[in-house]
Structures are given as structure tokens and as C-alpha cells.
Amino acid sequence: MPVADIVHLEEFAAAHRLHARDLGVQENAETYGACQNIHGHNYVLEVTVRGEVDARTGMVMNLVDLRSAMREEIVDQVDHRFLNEDVSFLQDLPVITTENLAIAFWSRLAAREAGWGGPKLHRVRLMESQSNIVDYYGE
Ligand code: NI
């Protein structure tokens, strides 16, 4: 059966600051500059799922299921929140970068993958802005 990628996008607004637990005051200042201050982004989360196109349904999976997984596992938890303090599943991260967010979001979605009956999470793309984008493929 042919394999295809399906993609769904969700947007959320959230605040964060870049301040690494494991760096000292001076190193944090040099590394993150003004991004140490609390500021916000309109994030775009783009998730790609890869799988065989079902001969009967003509679909890799129902996009409604991907959308609900993204909303329930991620968007509903992070939208209009201060990511450094308000979101329990982010509290173990050493610093709230876009990279670490993408990895954390992958883990949340991976927990839903078994329920999709075959299709696999392929990419989590988190866009902090139109020009700053992180892709995570697992591992
Ligand atoms: Ni930022």
C-alpha cells in the first residue's frame, strides 16, 4: 500500500523565559541575552504522521484523531500559559527552549500513537516565529 504523510497545524500563544538551571548568572546572560526576560510567542505546532493509505477509507488516519491528540495533549495545556511555571509536564526541563518543547511535545503525542492503529509519528515541528523553527524526529 502507498505510504503518505498527513500534517496538522495548531496555534497557541504562550510566555516563557530562557534561563538554564545548569548555567550561572553570567553564562545565562551571555547565552540568552534579552530572552532571559519573560516574553511571548505565537507558536505554530505542526505534526506529521506517516502511514499507509488505507484502501477502504483512503486515509492514513482520521485527521480528527490527530487534531484531538494535539489539542488535548498539548494545546489545551500550554495555550495562554507561562511555560516555565504553569505546565506540569514541562517542569523537569532544564530550560524552556523551542528544542526542548518539541521533544516534550513528541513524548506527549507518542503516548497516543498506539491508538492510531498503525500510523507513526514522523515529525514534530515547532515554529516559534516564521523564521525560527525546530524539527524533531524522535531520538
Ligand atoms: Ni522566546
Side-chain angles (χ1 to χ4, degrees):
M1 272 187 283
V3 170
D5 290 345
I6 62 165
V7 182
H8 184 67
L9 283 79
E10 290 282 329
E11 295 181 35
F12 62 93
H16 79 144
R17 67 185 290 241
L18 291 176
H19 185 91
R21 203 162 54 195
D22 300 333
L23 300 182
V25 174
Q26 179 73 19
E27 205 172 353
N28 264 301
E30 289 169 1
T31 304
Y32 302 120
C35 293
Q36 284 194 105
N37 302 320
I38 297 172
H39 62 278
H41 298 283
N42 292 313
Y43 289 95
V44 179
L45 173 65
E46 178 188 303
V47 173
T48 303
V49 171
R50 178 168 291 180
E52 294 183 344
V53 179
D54 185 277
R56 290 185 317 118
T57 65
M59 298 191 294
V60 170
M61 68 179 282
N62 197 321
L63 269 170
V64 171
D65 295 333
L66 177 56
R67 184 183 67 193
S68 56
M70 289 170 67
R71 289 187 181 172
E72 291 165 17
E73 296 296 332
I74 300 165
V75 176
D76 292 351
Q77 314 297 321
V78 298
D79 192 31
H80 287 72
R81 303 288 164 79
F82 179 37
L83 301 177
N84 296 66
E85 294 185 2
D86 297 343
V87 182
S88 57
F89 73 84
L90 299 176
Q91 293 317 297
D92 291 336
L93 295 180
V95 55
I96 305 290
T97 56
T98 309
E99 290 89 332
N100 281 343
L101 288 171
I103 294 164
F105 293 169
W106 174 287
S107 298
R108 303 276 300 174
L109 292 168
R112 300 285 287 257
E113 194 183 66
W116 298 339
K120 299 293 182 201
L121 199 52
H122 177 65
R123 182 179 75 186
V124 168
R125 165 169 281 187
L126 186 59
M127 291 173 262
E128 170 188 278
S129 67
Q130 288 188 336
S131 47
N132 293 329
I133 299 168
V134 168
D135 286 338
Y136 183 62
Y137 296 86
E139 298 308 307

